[in-house]
Amino acid sequence: MVANSTGDGAAPAAAGAAPFVPGTTPTDGPLLQLRDISKSFGPVQALTGIDLDIPVGEVTALVGDNGAGKSTLVKCIAGIYQPNGGQLVWNGNPVQLHSPKDAADLGIATVYQDLALCDNLDIVQNMLLGHEVTRLGLLNEISMELTAKQTLRDLSVTTVRSIRQPVGSLSGGQRQAVAVAKAVMLDAQLVMLDEPTAALGVSQTELVLGLITRLARRGHAVIVISHNLTDVFRVADRLAVLYLGRLVATGPAAEFDPQSVVDYMTTGTSGRLGNGSLSQPTASSGFGTGSEG
Amino acid sequence: MATTDHDVPAEESPSSPVAVAGAGESAAEADEAAHLARGTTSPELLANSLGEYFRLWLRRARSGESGALPVIVGLIVLGAYFQIREPAFLSATNIANLMAQAGWIITIAMAQVFVLLLGEIDLSVAFNAAIGGTITIWMVSVHHPFPTWLAIIVGLAVSGAIASIEGLLIVWLKIPSFIVTLAGLLGLNGVLIWLFDEAGQVGNGGVISSHNNFINDLAGGNLSPVAGWVILIVALLLGGCYLIWRDQRRRTNNLAAPPLGVTLLKLGLMAVVGAVLVAVLNVNRGSAFTPLEGVPWVVLIVLVLLGGSTLLLTRTRFGRYLYAIGGSAEAARRAGINLSRIRVLAFLLAGLFAGVTGILYTSLLGSMSNDFEGGQYVLYSVAGAVIGGVSLFGGRGRMLGAVLGGFVVAVIYNGVDLLGLGAAGQYIWTALVLLAAVTLDALARRGARST
């Protein structure tokens, strides 16, 4: 269960369905705040003092080289890993995620690279897998098909020929779209996508990038992990650069350029931006560029 | 107005990137072609008219998703061959025999479907059937006069329990089902011999006979001719009304539905086949003094089991999860499905169908013996399911396919017997048909890829 430390008597279970815990004022602040998150695996320090705000309605891109800790961070938010230190704050309330189910109940959906779709099932069956609607013990196909259709329409996914098509017959981009639609349909407020364009061709990438943008415009908070800086700059409203488990730069995407991001990704610092408009996280670890050595 | 919109309608401006992506660039077209070749969508939901339905259906058949077609063609070819070689093959007497013989072969193929859909296999299914059948027949034999209904329930329960234990071992110890059920095959064969020889002293000289009329009638008895017609007409009316009502509900909800013509054509075909079958089986096969006529009970039993299991597989969460786990266990797990529970339940169902098989088998022979050839019969079950289009790798196949596939095995069994070719012919024919079924499937798939 999601631990809710506000102690105001609000039922934590309601957090899954309703956007805000009753009794607390909906804040205009970020949907999710990471406060000084660290995670270690034995002697290996995977994440150190991560402070990051994830606002609603914006795409936050998480970039970094291999082993920088992107996946570890996403898994901490998805409830797969439990951080060793620090605090996750959801809508202003500190929460602890003990399992992926806790995260899902809260409204956090993750679309992993392998998409986790059943090729032999059709789009509707995949989108509602585990959340089937039944009537008198029998599946209510009409209700499920209408739900799936509405979600796809909301996301403007229009290239599928029939939503009764097996997912195995779809193209890579369409599969990604189905996986995203599946996540969104379950009342997700925060959608995390792991390398959504990694295996896609040009037109399929367009499809997925358009989808990511629309997700954010619809009021979801979106986190995208990507290696592809071109794609990142096309969709991201905010960037967060990880280097060796530390957050070395965050800020609006407009304040970065590809070269500075590459510098941050590979060296943890960038000489090109000296004006301090980017927030250099200094929260607890007090790291500076020198501490990376 | 029945607007059958197959595509999710594009309401956004057509210049949105998504719409553009599908608007006929060469890449998108190549994609499209590939999907059509692999076009596994049911033509029912894409076609607007009967003609278009046939066009789509042909294309789908060529791409290897031919559904029940190859097995039906196979049945016709086999039937024609046996009829030419032996004119008694299509006589009313032999057709009634064939139906009675087919019963247990079909149910054992159905039993296998539940586990094959998961990508598992149950090699012990035949000996499990023998144990269930032995217990039922022992409970109603002369010295153990339990009520018949209780004997049947206990027989089914024992088979179900045995299969569930195998399922639990597979889930808990994570041993492949092939190994667990191979152990089951050997162990249950031993238990069967032990039941007859030492423990229960079941039967005489390794054979126990059935003197219970109800059990003997399951495979040997017939419906009255009138009852045959009444049941056929009621079933067709109910089925037809349901299909038309269902399609109409889809149309009123603005969802794609099969053209009315297709539904009517299917119903018409079913009506013709059913009527011919009932008419032939209602012919008096006995003499004027001791009439022998009517549809065998076992036909009704198999049809009820087919209807029930199809409902279970296609219209319940359990069935959906079977297919999901067979398609991608990881995706099913992440969707919050309890894989262990579904796996054990699938084995339980296989066990229950094995129990039915055992009872139908004893009913057909009027006895059960300790030289039951379970090692051979389990292969009938796998062959029947595979001939009927059930994939060995999980996630694909229908119960109707297994019924037709099991029927093919029974036709060979019966026809080869009529030709007097004996066991050698039976094995070789079954082997050839099995190979042909799988080859056809593989060739169709390869053809789909290369075009």
Side-chain angles (χ1 to χ4, degrees), chain B residues 92 175 246 261 289 315 355 360:
Chain B
I175 312 174
R246 188 192 67 180
F289 299 105
R315 297 295 311 277
L360 289 181

Side-chain angles (χ1 to χ4, degrees), chain B residues 42-405:
Chain B
S42 164
E44 290 179 352
L45 298 182
L46 293 177
N48 288 313
S49 67
L50 204 56
E52 196 181 351
Y53 172 80
F54 278 115
R55 209 164 47 73
L56 288 164
W57 180 79
L58 265 179
R59 185 159 66 191
R60 187 156 168 255
R62 276 203 300 269
S63 73
E65 289 291 327
S66 35
L69 181 72
V71 68
I72 289 174
V73 170
L75 268 179
I76 293 171
V77 170
L78 280 171
Y81 175 79
F82 287 132
Q83 176 64 17
I84 291 166
R85 293 286 304 273
E86 174 54 66
F89 180 74
L90 287 181
S91 68
T93 310
N94 191 52
I95 288 180
N97 271 341
L98 173 60
M99 295 292 164
Q101 286 169 356
W104 70 271
I105 299 179
I106 289 174
T107 54
I108 205 171
M110 292 170 87
Q112 200 66 256
V113 171
F114 294 107
V115 286
L116 283 183
L117 281 179
L118 288 172
E120 311 276 348
I121 197 165
D122 185 355
L123 295 177
S124 66
V125 69
F127 279 117
N128 194 0
I131 302 277
T134 304
I135 285 172
T136 299
I137 204 171
W138 176 79
M139 284 180 70
V140 295
S141 65
V142 184
H143 304 293
H144 310 278
F146 290 97
T148 309
W149 59 268
L150 184 65
I152 290 177
I153 288 176
V154 172
L156 294 181
V158 168
S159 287
I162 291 172
S164 308
I165 291 169
E166 290 176 332
L168 286 172
L169 286 176
I170 289 160
V171 166
W172 280 342
L173 304 179
K174 304 203 190 315
I175 312 174
S177 57
F178 188 90
I179 302 298
V180 171
T181 60
L182 182 61
L185 183 153
L186 297 169
L188 293 176
N189 193 3
V191 170
L192 184 70
I193 295 171
W194 178 74
L195 274 179
F196 278 92
D197 286 356
E198 286 150 41
Q201 292 290 326
V202 170
N204 264 324
V207 179
I208 182 168
S209 302
S210 166
H211 302 289
N212 183 290
N213 287 334
F214 181 81
I215 287 181
N216 289 345
D217 274 352
L218 290 177
N222 299 306
L223 297 166
S224 77
V226 177
W229 286 115
V230 169
I231 289 173
L232 176 71
I233 290 167
V234 169
L236 279 173
L237 280 179
L238 284 180
C241 288
Y242 168 72
L243 284 181
I244 291 168
W245 172 78
R246 188 192 67 180
D247 293 348
Q248 200 50 48
R249 265 195 50 182
R250 289 183 63 85
R251 285 191 200 98
T252 51
N253 280 290
N254 234 346
L255 297 174
L260 188 62
V262 173
T263 309
L264 290 178
L265 188 76
K266 281 186 174 170
L267 283 171
L269 277 175
M270 276 191 264
V272 169
V273 172
V276 168
L277 206 60
V278 172
V280 169
L281 290 170
N282 278 349
V283 171
N284 186 356
R285 309 186 284 273
S287 64
F289 299 105
T290 52
L292 182 61
E293 57 192 3
V295 179
W297 274 102
V298 66
V299 174
L300 192 62
I301 295 173
V302 166
L303 289 180
V304 168
L305 289 176
L306 170 64
S309 53
T310 301
L311 190 75
L312 187 71
L313 288 185
T314 59
R315 297 295 311 277
T316 66
R317 284 178 175 230
F318 169 75
R320 181 65 42 87
Y321 295 167
L322 274 188
Y323 283 96
I325 295 172
S328 165
E330 176 60 18
R333 194 183 61 77
R334 285 205 211 144
I337 296 169
N338 184 339
L339 301 195
S340 303
R341 194 171 135 260
I342 302 291
R343 286 199 172 116
V344 173
L345 276 175
F347 273 90
L348 168 65
L349 279 166
L352 290 177
F353 273 71
V356 172
T357 304
I359 293 169
L360 289 181
Y361 181 87
T362 46
S363 169
L364 179 70
L365 296 190
S367 65
M368 176 61 86
S369 71
N370 62 0
D371 58 1
F372 179 87
E373 295 180 80
Q376 176 191 338
Y377 298 156
V378 67
L379 300 183
Y380 285 176
S381 81
V382 177
V386 171
I387 288 172
V390 179
S391 167
L392 283 174
F393 305 104
R396 277 185 53 237
R398 291 190 302 166
M399 202 43 103
L400 176 64
V403 169
L404 293 172

Side-chain angles (χ1 to χ4, degrees), chain A residues 120 132 139 141 161 168-169, chain B residues 7 38 315 317 320-321:
Chain A
N120 58 331
E132 286 83 1
L139 297 175
E141 294 289 349
R161 167 176 281 266
S169 69
Chain B
D7 304 343
R38 289 157 71 192
R315 297 295 311 277
R317 284 178 175 230
R320 181 65 42 87
Y321 295 167

